[in-house]
Amino acid sequence: MTTPTLIVTRPRQQCAAWLAKLSALGVPAVALPLIEILPARDPAPVVAAWAALGAAHLAVFVSPNAVEQFFAHAAGRPWPTGTLAACVGPGSAQSLAEHGVPDALIVQPAVGAASLDSEHLWEQLAPRRDWQGARVLLLRGDGGREWLADRLAAAGATVEPVTVYHRSRPAFDAAAQALLAAAQAEPARYAWLFSSAEAVGHLDGVPLSRQRAIATHPRIAEAAEAAGFAPVVLARPAPEAVTQALKRL
């Protein structure tokens, strides 16, 4: 059976690395970014967060984009030795390490966790310290899920959200429109990879039917199913896991 071409919908900044890893695994893949990542409209709070980083006990990065956009304002400053850096996925952890954050300070869900999400990250953070009076920076896009911030606040921490980037709906160029047309015409040749429910929503109005998908979290799978994708299978957000998930479509 011919392996379908995987349509990678991650933001443009992560697509190239994903395509290279999938290619090395023998999976044909193409990029169709469904979320555009742009710098924060106001960089002043990001600069201020860097200036105060040494006084923070924890900085939470919601995605690799948060890592990249935050470190764009580092101005050569090293990561402070007393500040933990938390994230939910291996891509964010790798990016933090590449930017010089020591492995011992990076906190992420345990290997083998059922899902890579805030709930499983909190399982690792909760026992790390008494969070009463701790200062936490939440580095994110414009808006987002509040679950982890609520848990930290309930434990007594002061949580300071900092918008380090903003998200935008993509404008499909001629190549993207051609790919959408091909997927519409020959759905059996393609499968979609979704790492964001918001990305699924950005296909609203696109006439797609008989499309298969891989989702990296149950909430994303629910959004894909509601949009009409079927079947939808779950996979951890790693190229090797996605490659195995393709066999279940």
Side-chain angles (χ1 to χ4, degrees):
M1 183 177 178
T2 302
T3 301
T5 296
L6 191 63
I7 300 175
V8 179
T9 64
R10 298 180 70 91
R12 195 176 311 279
Q13 290 86 340
Q14 282 85 56
C15 273
W18 267 82
L19 295 187
K21 291 175 181 177
L22 288 166
S23 177
L25 292 168
V27 177
V30 292
L32 182 65
L34 291 181
I35 298 177
E36 292 291 345
I37 301 298
L38 302 169
R41 294 182 176 90
D42 180 6
V46 189
V47 173
W50 262 108
L53 187 59
H57 299 89
L58 170 68
V60 179
F61 294 86
V62 302
S63 69
N65 298 301
V67 177
E68 295 303 320
Q69 295 295 331
F70 186 63
F71 275 89
H73 296 273
R77 286 171 286 199
W79 189 261
T81 58
T83 304
L84 295 173
C87 59
V88 297
S92 298
Q94 179 179 340
S95 185
L96 285 167
E98 289 172 351
H99 283 288
V101 181
D103 288 344
L105 295 178
I106 299 174
V107 185
Q108 58 182 316
V111 175
S115 296
L116 301 181
D117 53 21
S118 296
E119 287 84 348
H120 289 87
L121 175 57
W122 178 238
E123 290 178 0
Q124 301 302 310
L125 285 172
R128 290 294 292 252
R129 57 165 293 135
D130 178 2
W131 292 101
Q132 184 66 43
R135 182 181 179 188
V136 177
L137 298 176
L138 177 58
L139 306 169
R140 63 183 188 180
D142 36 5
R145 194 165 177 245
E146 300 291 343
W147 190 92
L148 182 59
D150 291 344
R151 298 289 81 71
L152 285 160
T158 298
V159 182
E160 303 172 28
V162 181
T163 299
V164 298
Y165 67 91
H166 76 93
R167 299 183 297 271
S168 175
R169 192 182 187 100
F172 294 135
D173 59 16
Q177 292 174 10
L179 177 56
L180 285 169
Q184 292 168 16
E186 298 183 83
R189 288 183 51 202
Y190 297 92
W192 296 72
L193 173 61
F194 291 112
S195 57
S196 164
E198 183 180 6
V200 178
H202 286 169
L203 286 172
D204 182 40
V206 176
L208 295 171
S209 62
R210 296 176 291 132
Q211 304 291 322
R212 301 168 293 172
I214 298 170
T216 60
H217 192 276
R219 284 190 299 274
I220 303 170
E222 290 174 5
E225 289 169 348
F229 286 86
V232 178
V233 300
L234 284 169
R236 292 173 66 85
E240 296 80 4
V242 168
T243 299
Q244 292 302 312
L246 271 174
K247 300 175 183 178
R248 294 185 277 126
L249 285 175

